[in-house]
Amino acid sequence: MFKAKAYSAASAISPLALTTIPRRDGTENDVQIEILFCGICHSDLHSVRNEWSEFMPTQYPIVPGHEIVGRVTQVGSAVTKFKPGDLAAVGCMVDSDGTCPECRAGFENFCPNMVLTFNSPDKHLGAVTYGGYSESIVVDQRFVLRVPSNLKPAGTAPLLCAGITTYSPMRRWGVTNGKKVGVVGLGGLGHMAVKLAHAFGAHVVVFTTSPNKKEDAIRLGADEVVISRNADEMQKHAESFDFILDAVSADHDINAYISLLHRDGNLTIVGAPPKPLGVSAFALIMRRRSFSGSNIGGIAETQEMLDFCGKHNITADVEVIPIQKVNEAYERLLKSDVKYRFSIDMASLKSE
Ligand SMILES: [Zn+2]
Ligand SMILES: [Zn+2]
């Protein structure tokens, strides 16, 4: 065991502050990583403030962070995929049983024994796992990803959650060249969805409530922007979409979007509104449409996503901050005051 500097919260109402945490000495299958950048995901904030207490109660202290990019410093004797000096990444999970039907099908993200990167029981050290707001992390090689060398690390970090969360449903529902794809909400997830759908060759339409996001949506790769409050504009797209990705986590009229799908079209939701949505069965039945959800992706698919991003030179648009600004960043996140993801430069932790 060794000590690592980290930022943790002591309770649901405490700010994040400097601490030291234990990290395990690497086993033969472990990769030790010096963290360079960690993205700030909205679920970090939900967990720190224990807002998902019903199904994922937070154990304090919590060290959040699951969008990790770093440099390999040490590898165990059985590690074949990595060597010291390699750029590597870790996403939302750090372990799974490897034997259940989900794992065998490549869906570690749905494994009943999956271990999340933070706030999950830690079978090595007891207590819970600690995430990426730290100078280092030790992870089994099966859960460490390779980073294409052309991608800048700061903007690559958010690919590990926002990237795979939007990439996976697009692959699942066959987004390819010539398909018409809608993206609802232009935040951390939405802006990645636009970039990825554009790279797949789709015709991309962004739905937003803010007219001032129009220019940015086009810059990110959208072909059209629809102001969702404008019923006439919405009507023009009725029954025309192959696939719509809904990244809105506030209450909204889901049927207004379902009715824009053509026959067999799918709407996948990746935002998590706190209250149940009123889905119209009629809207689904009439054109054999489907409505589904999605949650990150398996390890093989996450690597595929990173390689795809390498090939198309895609990273997230990030505002790089020192760790000392993390509490301020959380307040700004609540106001959607970031384009489009914060990425923490972990070198700032060295000076503390
Ligand atoms: Zn996340
Ligand atoms: Zn499993």
Side-chain angles (χ1 to χ4, degrees):
M1 202 177 79
F2 64 98
K3 297 247 180 236
K5 286 185 194 174
Y7 260 54
S8 74
S11 78
I13 52 164
S14 310
L16 289 150
L18 180 67
T19 187
T20 59
I21 53 166
R23 292 293 192 194
R24 69 176 183 263
D25 291 321
T27 67
E28 59 174 13
N29 285 309
D30 281 338
V31 177
Q32 188 175 321
I33 297 166
E34 179 196 6
I35 299 174
L36 300 175
F37 291 93
C38 184
I40 297 181
C41 173
H42 211 115
S43 47
D44 297 351
L45 190 153
H46 286 302
S47 299
V48 163
R49 300 190 177 171
N50 204 11
E51 288 166 354
W52 287 341
S53 57
E54 273 171 58
F55 58 105
M56 238 190 254
T58 303
Q59 273 197 52
Y60 295 95
I62 178 173
V63 177
H66 60 203
E67 295 181 337
I68 299 166
V69 171
R71 190 73 66 187
V72 174
T73 53
Q74 227 172 296
V75 297
S77 57
V79 172
T80 52
K81 274 166 63 186
F82 299 94
K83 59 181 190 314
D86 287 350
L87 211 52
V90 177
C92 302
M93 49 189 175
V94 289
D95 208 354
S96 72
D97 56 31
T99 55
C100 76
E102 298 291 7
C103 285
R104 278 185 289 170
F107 294 116
E108 298 88 351
N109 50 318
F110 300 129
C111 173
N113 299 306
M114 186 253 281
V115 179
L116 292 166
T117 304
F118 62 84
N119 195 44
S120 238
D122 185 334
K123 65 185 179 198
H124 297 269
L125 296 177
V128 290
T129 50
Y130 295 128
Y133 295 11
S134 171
E135 59 186 349
S136 66
I137 193 164
V138 180
V139 178
D140 186 294
Q141 63 170 333
R142 291 192 299 129
F143 288 83
V144 183
L145 289 310
R146 294 181 308 276
V147 177
S149 58
N150 59 312
L151 298 182
K152 290 211 172 80
T156 299
L159 300 180
L160 278 300
C161 178
I164 186 61
T165 298
T166 51
Y167 180 89
S168 183
M170 285 196 230
R171 291 283 282 135
R172 167 72 181 83
W173 294 99
V175 171
T176 51
N177 201 12
K179 299 278 182 176
K180 186 170 174 184
V181 170
V183 175
V184 188
L186 196 63
L189 292 173
H191 100 288
M192 282 313 310
V194 173
K195 290 187 183 204
L196 292 167
H198 177 74
F200 279 125
H203 181 86
V204 186
V205 181
V206 166
F207 297 94
T208 177
T209 51
S210 0
N212 58 14
K213 283 193 178 169
K214 202 160 190 164
E215 212 173 299
D216 228 23
I218 301 288
R219 177 185 64 82
L220 293 165
D223 297 287
E224 294 179 65
V225 180
V226 171
I227 306 306
S228 52
R229 289 197 181 107
N230 186 324
D232 289 344
E233 267 190 65
M234 291 288 278
Q235 185 53 37
K236 275 184 204 149
H237 291 272
E239 299 181 21
S240 68
F241 282 87
D242 296 286
F243 175 75
I244 297 177
L245 190 89
D246 185 338
V248 175
S249 48
D251 250 346
H252 60 293
D253 177 11
I254 197 79
N255 300 309
Y257 296 102
I258 291 175
S259 65
L260 302 186
L261 297 168
H262 63 47
R263 173 175 52 78
D264 290 330
N266 171 270
L267 185 148
T268 293
I269 191 156
V270 291
K275 278 190 257 158
L277 295 161
V279 178
S280 158
F282 198 72
L284 295 175
I285 290 168
M286 290 316 285
R287 293 286 182 279
R288 204 165 64 177
R289 296 158 171 146
S290 63
F291 173 52
S292 53
S294 191
N295 184 25
I296 56 172
I299 288 296
E301 192 175 53
T302 305
Q303 188 62 61
E304 179 193 300
M305 177 274 305
L306 284 168
D307 294 343
F308 179 85
C309 287
K311 191 172 156 209
H312 294 274
N313 211 9
I314 294 171
T315 53
D317 282 22
V318 290
E319 178 178 338
V320 175
I321 58 161
I323 187 100
Q324 292 79 7
K325 292 234 161 135
V326 68
N327 294 302
E328 197 181 299
Y330 274 23
E331 292 312 311
R332 288 181 52 199
L333 193 59
L334 289 171
K335 294 182 272 183
S336 302
D337 176 22
V338 58
K339 282 187 175 168
Y340 282 88
R341 208 70 154 173
F342 289 109
S343 186
I344 307 169
D345 181 355
M346 225 42 85
S348 59
L349 195 51
K350 287 194 168 52
S351 60
E352 293 218 20

